[in-house]
Structure formats: structure tokens, C-alpha cells
Amino acid sequence: MQLVSSPASPFVRKVRVLIREAGHEADVTETPVATTPLAPAADALAANPTGKIPALIRDDGPAIYDSRVICRYLDSTWSAGLYPEKRLWEVLTLEATADAILDAAVLVVYEGRFREAPLQSWIDAQWAKVTRGLAAIEARWMSHLSGPLDMSQIAVGCALGYLDFRHGERGWRGAVPELAAWGDRFAERPAMQATAPV
């Protein structure tokens, strides 16, 4: 299998962490691309008509895309157990919350990078989604994050890592100290260390 990727993408990182936690690095070849919303890479477009990454090119079927779809597929293929049936709806909801934080945080970056005159009200609205998502995780999900490893923990860990990588100056940690401390511990996992953006 081939993963169309970028080392700075937090959505790609989710997949890369899952691959390592499942012990299947040898089964997936990573193909890094330089892609942006304004100039999508040809490899990304060939695998996903929207040009977004990650995309997974399979040996036995069409390419699949969206990090959640790829993660579910790999977890099922390898019986990795990162979407446990007994906690499935909680795992999916927490993963969706982490992905929503990432969606908003990435849009803040894009707004500043690709618009000549960034729209501050848009940036503020996106950042409000980030802070609400973080607050909800700290208020409702800390016991879940302390449980056995599942995909929602990987998603949250990648979201927090991206906030440090692109938005550390915003001081998000001060509002959610318990979650930030959990993120620091989770970031010590070998799979997180191996996939940290540079």
C-alpha cells in the first residue's frame, strides 16, 4: 500500500501513528508530496479528486481518503483493535472532536498563509472552535484518554501536537492544563516521537 502524505499534515500523522502502533511500517510506503489548497499535487489529485491528503493507494481496490476512513480501514485490515466495539461510539465521537479541532486550526494557518489580507473575524471564529473543543475534551473525556490505547487518543495526541507546532504562541495550554499534561505524556510514545513534525 502507498500513503500519499506530507510530514507536516496532522491528518497524515494520525495514519502514520496508527501504522506504527499496529507494527505495520513495512506494509505501507509513504509518498510525500508538496501540496497546498491553491496548488494541489498531481499525486494527491490522482488519489483523491479533492487533492486533500492523506490518501491510501491500495493494491486490491481504489484509493481511499480522509484520515478517518483510512484509519478504520487499516485498523480493520490488521485487526489492530484501535476501534474497540465496546467503546466504539465514544472513540468515534472523540476522534471527530479532535478532527474538528484540527480542521479549524489548519484553516487558521491557511487564512494567514494564502490570503493577502487575512480576515480576522474568520480566524477568531475558527480559533473559538479550537478552544471549545479543547475545553470539552478536558471537561468530559479525560477518563477516556487515560484508558487503553484507541484511535481517539491518537487523534487527540496529533491535534495537540499540531497546536504546539503551528499555534504554540496562542497559549492554548493554559486553558486546559490537565489535557496539556496528558498530551505531553502521550507525545513520549515512540510512534508519536517518530512522526513529530519538523
Side-chain angles (χ1 to χ4, degrees):
M1 289 182 284
Q2 179 182 344
L3 182 67
V4 182
S5 64
S6 168
S9 166
F11 294 104
V12 170
R13 188 181 188 196
K14 286 174 52 186
V15 179
R16 296 177 73 218
V17 170
L18 180 152
I19 290 167
R20 284 156 178 79
E21 290 287 358
H24 282 270
E25 292 118 301
D27 296 328
V28 180
T29 301
E30 295 183 20
T31 302
V33 297
T35 191
T36 73
L38 300 181
D43 286 347
L45 283 169
N48 177 350
T50 70
K52 294 175 73 174
I53 54 173
L56 184 70
I57 300 171
R58 301 179 293 167
D59 301 326
D60 59 351
I64 59 175
Y65 41 86
D66 184 273
S67 63
R68 277 185 273 183
V69 174
I70 295 169
C71 288
R72 287 296 302 271
Y73 172 78
L74 293 177
D75 180 76
S76 175
T77 299
W78 296 330
S79 301
L82 294 172
Y83 290 94
E85 192 62 36
K86 287 185 178 179
R87 296 179 284 124
L88 181 61
W89 303 116
E90 290 79 9
V91 171
L92 291 174
T93 300
L94 185 51
E95 183 183 11
T97 303
D99 282 1
I101 289 168
L102 283 176
D103 283 334
V106 168
L107 286 174
V108 170
V109 170
Y110 286 170
E111 183 71 13
R113 187 175 293 168
F114 296 113
R115 282 178 59 115
E116 290 182 17
L119 187 59
Q120 190 60 46
S121 61
W122 173 258
I123 291 173
D124 292 344
Q126 297 309 310
W127 192 252
K129 293 177 187 179
V130 171
T131 58
R132 289 194 305 266
L134 293 173
I137 293 172
E138 178 154 289
R140 304 175 194 162
W141 293 100
M142 293 310 298
S143 62
H144 183 97
L145 292 177
S146 299
L149 180 68
D150 62 38
M151 194 60 216
S152 67
Q153 295 170 358
I154 293 171
V156 171
C158 290
L160 300 182
Y162 186 76
L163 294 180
D164 278 339
F165 180 56
R166 294 291 192 204
H167 300 290
E169 78 287 351
R170 288 182 172 268
W172 65 269
R173 291 170 157 270
V176 285
E178 188 178 357
L179 178 58
W182 175 88
D184 289 341
R185 293 190 301 274
F186 194 80
E188 295 172 2
R189 297 182 71 87
M192 292 293 286
Q193 292 284 316
T195 60
V198 178

